[in-house]
Each structure stands twice: as structure tokens, then as C-alpha cells.
Amino acid sequence: MRWILIVFVTALPVPLFCGSVVLENSTIKAVFNENTGALQQLISKKDGWYLQKRPELGRSFRLDIPLSHQRFNPVFGEEQPPPQIRHEKNGKRLRFQWKNVRSKNGGRLAVDFTGVAELTDDGLIFTAEIDNRSFHTVETVHWPILGDLSRPQPDALFSQLGMDYGGMKSLQLFPKFDNMPGYFAVDYPTQMLQTPDTPFSLITAPARGLYVGYHDTTAAHLVQFMARLKPGYLGYEFWDSGENPKGDSLAGQPVHLEFSVLHFPFFNGGESGKLQPVVLVPFQGSWHRGADIYKKWRQSWFQSPAKPDWLQQVHAWQQIHVNNPENDVRYSYRDLLKIGADCARHNVGALQITGWTIGGQDGAYPSHDTDPHLGTRTNFAEVIAQIQKMGVKVILFNKYTWADRVSPWYESELIRYTTKDPYGDPHYYGGYAYQTPTQLAEINTHRFSPLCHLSPAWRQVACGEFLKSIELGADGMLYDENQHHGDSRYCFDATHKHHVPAHIYAGDTRLATDFHEISNPKKADYLFAGEGNYDLQFREYHLSYFRVDLNHVALHRYVAPYQEMMIPVSGYNDRNMINLALMNRYIISYEPRNFKGRLDEFPQTIEYGKKVDRLREKLSAYLWHGVFQDTLGATVLSDGKIYTNYSVFIDPNCGKKAVVVVNYSYELPVEVGIGFADKTKKWTVATPENPVPLVFSGIVNIPVNSAVVVIEK
Ligand SMILES: [Zn+2]
């Protein structure tokens, strides 16, 4: 006989239909099946959106617990005997417990799963505990699962959005579905966003959405926000996309989107552990309202390291590449004096020197020795000091991500510190090809292995290499590729003094913290810059440098309005990229000829950049020190249609606004009208070419490749 033990700690559950328990407040209603723990319905009460619609498609949890003879061994919550259910916190928290779960291919295992759902003012929060007394590893956990994520408007665009390399990653859910794994590997089209690149997924439809946040600051585990289209495409379009079915059923099967949060805790036999909170909050409005939920949580833990004073003023950089693995020496250390003088003459405040280490850019890593082809270490230190005397800050390009497998050091020592796969092999990364036909054909490219920052022995070596850089006297470093480890996620090396396996990204903070301990006593205002920092990294890195295109959506800028971000400008008359920097408050990094050339090689670009930075200085209360609002706070129309290439800044001291509108077209000027909610206020307009503000009539003509700034008086 099946039995259910229900312990009524406080309030009685609210029955919806037979065999269900409910969590409900003024905004959310969540219905669970008391026999399976399946989330049968999830309703956003403010707008009536059934986020999880058909109860019969509701899902409970899933574990994956490989056996020694068969790795495929899932555990499905719906296939278990009914859980014990406890009602806690005045009926606002449900605790479902399954003991000795039944697996598909291994029978019952000594593993208990406890799933907790709690309704708070912050949203519907899912946590879990796993007690693994078996000899097996609980590798992954799906919790929660929305088995029938439904669209609020049947025909409208439906997507999941997340943060990605300074911008936004957008995966379409409907009317087409973006597939990511190999078609041969899965039954159903599947897509995922993952931490720590994005700490949340925003499931968005027009004017509403669902925030799914993973609220953890340790990066201890990988978490994926996974969606599947079942039973599959109506029409297949190559391996990565296809047309979704429109109706509720297809070939006798229900059509549904299954959305789950997939944790990779790797709890080994004998280990117990918890899953960090997953927070679900429906929101009304554009994606910004979903990002605001993350911003609010971010304020509870985020602390920025103190920034160097110079970084906070309007300024620009130049990046210069001096050498590469084919020894194509562009500039000796001494030659850099000319580059420094270029910067001083053009009022460029910082020079990033790339490829200064032995073997050039992307050769001989992680060595941060100087290269005899370029001069001596003493030469280089003197050159850095002389450039600093010109009023230009010097930043050195550093990298601790890879071991160069070509280097003798790799075999003699570094191989011990590389991240390992479950089979004991070092992970592998393809590296980067430079300049010669042979290398561009990938015939002799230096291949890499990622280094494990969780290994104390490696961190000690890395700190020695960092010392070599900082002792040259530069004002800071840009740690290139600090934000990733190739495709490697977990390290299985048992000699690294970490849990086996360990999420490699959890080492990023440890390495950065060790570096700060070195730099603080030597140079308290030493700049830590990184590449495309994921958000947690802004706790250690002052600046994030990344590349964008003109479709860039400034999601990270919106989430982190006070963090420094920088983009390269490389074209010969690159007004569009400079205007993009203006619109999103990015520092300009001048990079003529893909950072091989000198500033005077692209006079039109440098002259326009200077004009934009002069305007940003003049209007710095808005455009540099203001709070970026993306498109919120103004309406911009052109030809009666919504015009999207604009942004709004608010001066935090007085609350006044400025709106930057840009025209990316190379052929056509654009006439835009700008509307504001408050019609009584007076506005002026300025441009990089005409920085003195003039009265703004409400309509402005923007020439090709140009920008205007409309300012509240
Ligand atoms: Zn390791």
C-alpha cells in the first residue's frame, strides 16, 4: 500500500485539485503534486500568465547517478514513491523528501533528495539537499523543472536571454528554437545558458518575462538554464535551428517547452551537500525589469575594489602589439617610447603593451619573462618609467590561463598544474595562430592546456610570474582571457588539493585575491583589468575589455552602471564604434591595424574620438558619472516607428537626464523625435562637432555615422 506522511507544522495546505499542495501570495501561485512533487502549475497572478500550464506535463526532479558499468542512470522524481512533505513557515515553504531514490538502471540507491520550494517577497525560491550514502557520485540535478513552459502570447517572439561577454546572449524559444548540442546527441532540440557567464536567464515575451536567477557568489558549481523543445521541430533547418509546431499537439504527442535549472554538484559517495538558491520571479515590462531583479540582489553582496583615481576620469587607451610566437618583432622595448609619445600628443591616457613577454602574444605562457628579441628587462623597466613621465599610464598584457604545450616548461612542471578530464588527460585548447602562412593554416600553432587556479602549487607559480610583471613598474595589467578556461569546466586532478572534481571557475577569485595581496603593498592603486569579465569578477577586476558589434545590447553595462568597461576601435574612420562607446559609456581603446599600428595611421578615427571624449568631459555628470538606463526613460521615434539606437543617462546628483542618439547608417541621415514623460522640462542638444548646447525643439536630424546628445536643462 502506498502511504504519504504529511507533517503539518503550521498552516494546512490549500487544495487545488485532488492530491496537490499550493504556495500562493499576491503575485505567484505554485501548485505541486503531492504524490510526485511535480510542479504542476505556476501562475503569474499580476498578468494571468500560466508559466507552467498543463498539470499533466509538470515535472518533479531528476538526478544523474552513473554506475560503474553504465554511466547512463537517471533518477526521475515522478517515478519515485510519494515524498514526505513538510509545510513550514506558515505554509510558505514546502519540503519534499525522497529517501533511497530509485534509479533507472541501478535500482534503489542510498541517496536521499530533499527539494525545497519557498515563497518569499523575493520570489519563488528553490533549494535542495542531497545525502549520498551510496558508493556512486550524484553528478547532476535538475531542480526545478517547468515541464510545460507556456507562451503568454501564442504567436509572439519568446526567448531566453542572459549575460555574455559584456553584452546579451539571446536564444530563441519560439517561433524558431535555437539548438546547441549536436543533433546526434539528443532526442530533442536543446539549448542552454550557463553560469558564471550569466547568473540568470530571462524568459521573455513582449512586455513580460520570468526571471530565473542562480543566487550564488562562489561559482562552486556549474549551473545551466536548459530548455528543450518536445517532441521536436515541425521543420528542420540545419542542425542548430528549426520551426516550432504552433499547436498543442503533434503526431499525437503534446507540444511543449521544458525548462529546467541543471546543477552539476558532483556529490561523491558518502558526501552530503546543498544546492544554492534558484529564484523565480515573473516581471512585467521589458528585459530591463528582469535585470533589475538581479541588480537588486547584486546590491546585497557586490563590493567594487577601490579604483585608481585616473581610471575614473574621461580618458582613452591605445593597445599596441609588439611580438607574437612567430617572432615577428614589431617594436623593441625602446621603440615603445615613440608609441608613448604618440599617446601623449593625442591625449590618450593609457597604453596597453601586448606581446611583451617571452615568445610574444600567445607564446610561452604562462612565462612573464621579458623577451631578448625586444631588449633587456632593464630596458623595458626604463621605457615604462619614461612613458609614465610623459603622463601616460602603462598597462601590461598578462595571461595566466594557459600553459603553452610547446614550451619545455610544460613537460618539466606545468603539466602537473593543468586541469584534467575524468580520464586523467590535461584539457586541451587550440591556441591562436599568428602572421605566417604556416601558422595561419594552423600547421604549427602553439596548443595550450588550461591551468587549474584551484591548485595552491600553481597559484604559487602564477604569483611568481605576476611579480615579474608588477616589478617592471607598470600601472596595472590587463589579464587577457581571465574570464574562461576554454571548454573545460571541471578538473579531476587529485593532486590539486581540491574536491575531485572541482568547478574550475571557482579558482578565478582565489588567483585574483592572491594577486591583490601581492599588488596592495607594492602599488595600492595597481589596475586590475580583465577581458569580458563575468559579473562576479568585478569584485576583483576594475575594468572589463571586450569586443562588440553594432547589434550589441549593453546588458552588463545596465546591470553594472559603475563598473569600467572598454571596447576597441580599429577602423580607419570608425565613427560608429566610437558612437557605440559614447552611447554605452565605454572607454575607447584605439587599435589601428588590429593593434599593430600607430595612432597617426587613422587620423579620422582619432580626431573623432577626441571630439567625443571632449563632449563626455563637458557632460560628464551624465555621460561619464551618470547612471546608464539603456532605453528606459525616453521614447525615440523615426518615421513614426520606434527607433532603438539610443540610451539614457541620469545624473545621480540631480536626477536630470541626457539622451544619446546615434545613426549607424553609412548612407542616410535620420530624423528622430524624442519624447519624455514630463513635457514641462526644457531640453538642449549638443554633438561631438558642436558641443555648445542649443535649444532642442523635440526633433533632430542626425547625419550618417553621427551622434547627438539631448540634455535636460
Ligand atoms: Zn585542478
Side-chain angles (χ1 to χ4, degrees), residues 34-55:
E34 65 181 12
N35 289 317
T36 63
L39 177 58
Q40 289 184 297
Q41 283 196 322
L42 180 63
I43 304 164
S44 166
K45 291 171 67 175
K46 276 190 182 165
D47 55 11
W49 178 13
Y50 277 64
L51 297 149
Q52 157 67 34
K53 195 170 185 183
R54 287 165 285 183

Side-chain angles (χ1 to χ4, degrees), residues 417-420 452 454-455 491-493 496 498 502:
Y417 313 137
T418 57
T419 65
K420 306 293 189 310
C452 184
L454 287 165
S455 157
C491 177
F492 289 76
D493 191 317
H496 287 179
H498 56 59

Side-chain angles (χ1 to χ4, degrees), residues 1-50:
M1 186 180 127
R2 281 158 51 119
W3 54 273
I4 307 168
L5 175 65
I6 301 180
V7 181
F8 296 100
V9 176
T10 49
L12 290 169
V14 183
L16 176 80
F17 35 75
C18 186
S20 63
V21 284
V22 176
L23 293 174
E24 184 168 9
N25 64 13
S26 61
T27 59
I28 295 174
K29 182 175 186 178
V31 181
F32 297 86
N33 185 304
E34 65 181 12
N35 289 317
T36 63
L39 177 58
Q40 289 184 297
Q41 283 196 322
L42 180 63
I43 304 164
S44 166
K45 291 171 67 175
K46 276 190 182 165
D47 55 11
W49 178 13
Y50 277 64

Side-chain angles (χ1 to χ4, degrees), residues 67 154 169 267 327 379 645 672:
L67 307 168
K169 186 163 191 169
F267 292 131
N327 267 323
N379 286 156
N645 291 328
V672 298

Side-chain angles (χ1 to χ4, degrees), residues 151-158 174-175 206 246-247:
R151 310 188 299 277
Q153 293 114 304
D155 300 323
L157 180 66
F158 199 44
F174 182 90
K246 298 277 190 302

Side-chain angles (χ1 to χ4, degrees), residues 253-511:
Q253 299 183 64
V255 172
H256 57 123
L257 290 168
E258 189 178 280
F259 180 85
S260 59
V261 180
L262 174 53
H263 308 250
F264 291 73
F266 284 92
F267 292 131
N268 293 328
E271 292 180 348
S272 301
K274 292 184 176 178
L275 304 186
Q276 297 306 304
V278 173
V279 180
L280 271 57
V281 189
F283 60 87
Q284 285 74 44
S286 59
W287 61 260
H288 306 85
R289 296 307 174 208
D292 287 343
I293 297 163
Y294 174 75
K295 276 173 85 169
K296 184 179 169 210
W297 176 66
R298 187 182 194 268
Q299 282 171 358
S300 70
W301 55 266
F302 182 76
Q303 275 200 308
S304 177
K307 290 181 195 171
D309 287 341
W310 64 269
L311 189 66
Q312 301 178 59
Q313 311 308 316
V314 176
H315 70 285
W317 290 37
Q318 180 184 2
Q319 180 181 190
I320 192 79
H321 161 103
V322 298
N323 194 19
N324 58 50
E326 297 290 74
N327 267 323
D328 168 30
V329 175
R330 301 307 179 95
Y331 306 94
S332 70
Y333 296 135
R334 285 269 168 229
D335 291 339
L336 288 168
L337 289 171
K338 291 183 292 192
I339 308 297
D342 291 349
C343 288
R345 196 170 65 256
H346 285 294
N347 200 28
V348 169
L351 175 63
Q352 182 194 174
I353 300 170
T354 297
W356 62 272
T357 46
I358 190 159
Q361 183 178 4
D362 292 310
Y365 288 139
S367 175
H368 285 65
D369 287 330
T370 50
D371 192 324
H373 293 94
L374 307 175
T376 67
R377 184 175 168 80
T378 307
N379 286 156
F380 194 31
E382 285 169 0
V383 164
I384 289 169
Q386 286 184 48
I387 293 173
Q388 288 167 327
K389 280 187 192 146
M390 298 174 194
V392 177
K393 302 292 178 187
V394 177
I395 313 301
L396 298 184
F397 177 104
N398 289 6
K399 186 145 34 180
Y400 306 92
T401 311
W402 316 116
D404 182 346
R405 295 163 63 114
V406 174
S407 153
W409 193 15
Y410 178 76
E411 283 298 335
S412 67
E413 181 182 12
L414 294 172
I415 191 169
R416 299 206 296 272
Y417 313 137
T418 57
T419 65
K420 306 293 189 310
D421 68 17
Y423 313 104
D425 287 329
H427 286 119
Y428 175 88
Y429 190 73
Y432 301 99
Y434 286 85
Q435 295 296 351
T436 63
T438 303
Q439 195 148 113
L440 293 178
E442 296 281 359
I443 292 167
N444 70 331
T445 309
H446 291 220
R447 309 303 180 185
F448 298 155
S449 282
L451 290 155
C452 184
H453 302 336
L454 287 165
S455 157
W458 156 240
R459 289 205 306 279
Q460 199 172 2
V461 173
C463 285
E465 296 304 314
F466 178 63
L467 260 176
K468 290 178 188 171
S469 177
I470 195 171
E471 284 180 342
L472 288 163
D475 299 279
M477 68 158 168
L478 194 150
Y479 175 175
D480 191 59
E481 297 191 89
N482 65 325
Q483 87 287 17
H484 78 121
H485 306 274
D487 295 328
S488 309
R489 290 279 162 183
Y490 277 80
C491 177
F492 289 76
D493 191 317
T495 70
H496 287 179
K497 298 191 173 170
H498 56 59
H499 183 269
V500 178
H503 189 218
I504 297 164
Y505 287 69
D508 296 343
T509 288
R510 293 192 203 177
L511 184 67

